[in-house]
Amino acid sequence: MTSNAIEVVDVSKRFVLSHAGPSSLKERFVSRSASPRGEDTDLWALKGVSLEIERGETFGLLGHNGSGKSTLLKCIARTLRPTTGTIRTVGRVAALLELGAGFHPELTGRENVSLNASILGLDEAEAESRLPDVFGFAELAGFEDTPVKHYSSGMFARLGFSVAMHLEPDTLLVDEVLSVGDESFQRKCLGEVRRFQREGRTIVVVTHSADMVRHVCDRAAVLDHGELQMVGPPPAAIRTLRELLNKRGLEIPREMGSAANLEQAQAIVFTDVQLRYNDPQRPWLNPGDPLEIVVSYDASQPMDDVAVAMEIHDSGGNRLLGVNSDLLDSAPNSVDGTGTVVIRLESVPLLGGSYSIALGLHNHDVSVSYDHREEAASFRVENSTPLDGRVQIPVSIRW
Amino acid sequence: MRSSESRLRFVSGELSDLGALPDVVDVAAPRSISQRARDVVAHRSLLANLVRRDLRVRYKGSVLGFFWSLLNPAMYLVVFSFVFTVFLPARVPLFGIFMLSGLLIWNFFNGSLAAASNSIVENRALVQKVWFPREILPLAALGSALINMFLQAVVLVIGSLAFRNAPDVRALPLVIYAVIATAVLAAGLGILLSALTVEYRDVSHLLDVGMTAWFWMSAVVFPFGAVAVKLGENQWLAFLNPMLAPILAFQRALYDPAPSLPGETPIIPEESLAWYYGRVSITLAIGVVILFIALRVFARREDSFGDQL
Ligand SMILES: Nc1ncnc2c1ncn2[C@@H]1O[C@H](COP(=O)(O)OP(=O)(O)OP(=O)(O)O)[C@@H](O)[C@H]1O
Ligand SMILES: [Mg+2]
């Protein structure tokens, strides 16, 4: 008996992308006779992934869009079957791949909860005994006998989350669904995740949020084009992910990727980044010092639809500041050829530590990313104050 | 298989196993037919829930609820009794009762296949998001068709009372046997069709046409006696249709015609009950073979359901 909740051994998953879509016999027949083969292309969404997730562990899955995170989660949840390799799971596994999946709009909340419970293999009596908890947590007491088609989308999502949490699975698989509902419900969800952790249950969570990984996960893995890049503690995983995105030079936003966009995308690029400190002899900061970031660019054509964006991250990948020139009403008239733009931080109220700067160039509606550099530069702050922690908050204590 | 005894209990972060060892599932390993059967049994409460969901959804928001499902057979009873006794006096007395007896089991068969063939595609939201034995979906379709048959039987009971036609009580076990045989056959075909429909969406259209043809080959609206006379020695040909025996069994037990007079064609074969049991057994045997094949085909195709839906 191992102490692993999930063992993924050399798992690969191939999707066959058929261009017509196998929806009718006639299409099948016609396309078979017209072109015997070659219409289908293979896509390997996972390539030889091996992972061991321990019992009681909270495990993060990171990676760019399309890197295979959801595919891996679905293989573990048994809704997809790996092309090769094996996956072993221990105990009851519940998947939150989509909130409220399997809810039937015509049925009442109560009927849907009992249906969901039986999908997880609970019997009628067990399901019945959990009903008050499920509706209590979802703040839906009184709505048990309302058909869920009359629920608001937030209520629907809350019930979906609540069901998954209260049917007490041994392992919970979560795919980017912890960010539903209003803020207070999100806090409750996080509290519920903590309870899960305390109870020694296993959680696997797919997320794009570095904060989430840092604060919730014990370990994390990074996927890149279906290949496992690394498994390790969250800060290291976040760094690996940033480096991966950086190496590619461009972080392609979700809706991008067409050829036209890519052509445009090279219209303006970063050429250099310099940090200007108060005292050039001292290439670090003390809390409260100003800092100037001098960014050089090269535009291949005259353009005015451009904005510069900057983020500051701490060593754990937490975003401390995010800003762009549009937010500050500071759009350039026009840029052409080489030039520089200066981002001035009047005061950096950080205590000791090292911090990284990410830079981006995008158009005004952020539909095109011209250039993007994670870890474009980094700076160090020497704590010259008696305070402890991350942020220099002016403070006094009176008796 | 997961049972409540084998579930882990956790006490303040320490694993404390109160029951048997937790089940280890090799997600990617193929499951044997017997394992599949056990998985289905373990999920029987899901099966019951899906049947209930189906019935609830069907009758929700309608005032008369399930009485609507009685309307269709009641119409048949009234119209056919009227047409065949007043306009076209048939040699079949109480034609409405005769027809409804066979229609009952046919509707069960037909309804099962129609619902089962679409069951996986229609429940794609479930199939894509959670694992459970997929065979449950076509089986649940069969379950709700079975319950519908019991509801429709109410009409037959009322009709029999009205026309003072008593069923043959000694033959009632034959009805149960015929239902079992039909259910096994419908389960086999339903499971097969449900898997094929995932890849070939027009299976359900083909099924429509096929079932209409099948209906007219089964002796529901005409007495089998008439066909048997024509076929003579080759009567066995008609029994290649596995639905014929259950239909005749229903007519034998529920309609229970009086023995034919000399020179008259019997309405249904005037054979012993044992003969009927034998014929239904052949249907059952065919059903078992088809079910076995269906499970194998299903097992092979099920791997790609997630990719194709
Ligand atoms: N059913 C399917 N048929 C064909 N291709 C698929 C299917 N499901 C996923 N893919 C492909 O597999 C790859 C991995 O997809 P996956 O959903 O696992 O990515 P992801 O890491 O979850 O991305 P995201 O961050 O956008 O959620 C993608 O290229 C996707 O197009
Ligand atoms: Mg995904």
Side-chain angles (χ1 to χ4, degrees), chain B:
Chain B
M1 262 203 313
R2 295 100 201 266
S3 58
S4 49
E5 302 82 58
S6 72
R7 210 158 343 105
L8 281 174
R9 293 277 179 276
F10 301 92
V11 179
S12 62
E14 293 261 331
L15 282 176
S16 69
D17 201 346
L18 296 185
L21 281 176
D23 299 305
V24 180
V25 179
D26 193 337
V27 171
R31 290 174 300 145
S32 64
I33 300 270
S34 64
Q35 179 63 47
R36 286 171 174 275
R38 266 176 285 151
D39 283 346
V40 169
V41 173
H43 282 75
R44 59 189 176 279
S45 91
L46 172 60
L47 185 62
N49 246 314
L50 284 171
V51 172
R52 223 172 301 148
R53 177 189 79 174
D54 202 59
L55 296 173
R56 277 193 189 126
V57 169
R58 191 169 325 164
Y59 300 123
K60 206 148 238 189
S62 70
V63 184
L64 290 180
F66 85 89
F67 285 101
W68 284 117
S69 70
L70 305 187
L71 216 57
N72 173 27
M75 279 277 291
Y76 271 106
L77 183 68
V78 171
V79 170
F80 280 89
S81 302
F82 194 70
V83 168
F84 282 92
T85 47
V86 178
F87 292 118
L88 304 162
R91 288 162 306 148
V92 182
L94 298 181
F95 189 87
I97 305 281
F98 162 77
M99 168 149 180
L100 210 53
S101 308
L103 198 61
L104 218 48
I105 186 78
W106 174 263
N107 275 353
F108 164 52
F109 181 68
N110 182 37
S112 298
L113 293 198
S117 69
N118 284 322
S119 59
I120 297 204
V121 174
E122 265 171 16
N123 286 291
R124 65 165 74 79
L126 275 185
V127 174
Q128 284 169 331
K129 301 297 169 343
V130 274
W131 182 85
F132 53 88
R134 306 317 195 192
E135 295 90 344
I136 293 257
L137 291 172
L139 290 177
L142 190 135
S144 50
L146 185 65
I147 291 187
N148 264 322
M149 182 179 74
F150 290 132
L151 297 181
Q152 299 194 342
V154 172
V155 177
L156 185 66
V157 170
I158 295 173
S160 296
L161 287 175
F163 292 103
R164 298 184 200 288
N165 179 73
D168 182 355
V169 181
R170 282 178 314 126
L172 287 185
L174 179 63
V175 168
I176 296 167
Y177 191 50
V179 170
I180 292 171
T182 307
V184 170
L185 182 67
L189 289 173
I191 287 173
L192 191 65
L193 290 169
S194 69
L196 292 178
T197 305
V198 175
E199 190 166 359
Y200 308 107
R201 295 292 155 86
D202 37 15
V203 164
S204 57
H205 300 291
L206 267 175
L207 182 70
D208 262 359
V209 179
M211 290 307 276
T212 307
W214 198 340
F215 176 69
W216 290 104
M217 289 192 304
S218 308
V220 176
V221 274
F222 52 86
F224 179 67
V227 183
V229 167
K230 294 254 157 57
L231 287 174
E233 282 293 287
N234 298 324
Q235 234 190 75
W236 61 271
L237 273 175
F239 284 93
L240 288 180
N241 167 7
M243 273 313 287
L244 182 58
I247 288 168
L248 290 178
F250 260 61
Q251 292 168 344
R252 168 73 183 77
L254 302 178
Y255 172 60
D256 190 23
S260 57
L261 302 171
E264 213 180 25
T265 8
I267 294 170
I268 56 174
E270 294 184 327
E271 306 274 1
S272 65
L273 277 181
W275 180 87
Y276 278 93
Y277 277 108
R279 293 290 160 173
V280 174
S281 296
I282 295 173
T283 300
L284 182 59
I286 295 174
V288 168
V289 171
I290 291 180
L291 181 59
F292 191 74
I293 296 171
L295 286 174
R296 313 230 6 181
V297 172
F298 194 91
R300 224 185 24 250
R301 301 205 153 239
E302 144 186 276
D303 295 343
S304 57
F305 285 174
D307 309 6
Q308 286 178 337
L309 284 172

Side-chain angles (χ1 to χ4, degrees), chain A residues 15-17 43 45 63-72 175-176 208 254, chain B residues 306-307:
Chain A
F15 288 115
V16 179
L17 304 176
L43 184 140
H64 58 89
N65 294 139
S67 56
K69 305 180 296 292
S70 299
T71 304
L72 180 56
D175 195 348
E176 293 186 77
H208 286 283
R254 246 163 220 264
Chain B
D307 309 6

Side-chain angles (χ1 to χ4, degrees), chain A residues 2-7 51-59 90 170-171 200-204 218-219 231, chain B residues 15:
Chain A
T2 67
S3 63
N4 289 331
I6 301 168
E7 288 174 13
L51 266 183
E52 291 188 353
I53 299 175
E54 283 174 31
R55 269 197 241 181
E57 187 173 39
T58 302
F59 195 92
V90 178
D170 301 317
T171 300
R201 298 178 203 278
T202 314
I203 306 176
V204 184
D218 301 316
R219 284 197 305 154
V231 183
Chain B
L15 282 176

Side-chain angles (χ1 to χ4, degrees), chain A residues 153-171:
Chain A
S153 54
M155 289 159 78
F156 196 84
R158 273 179 357 225
L159 188 61
F161 182 80
S162 189
V163 167
M165 295 311 256
H166 287 87
L167 299 181
E168 315 276 304
D170 301 317
T171 300

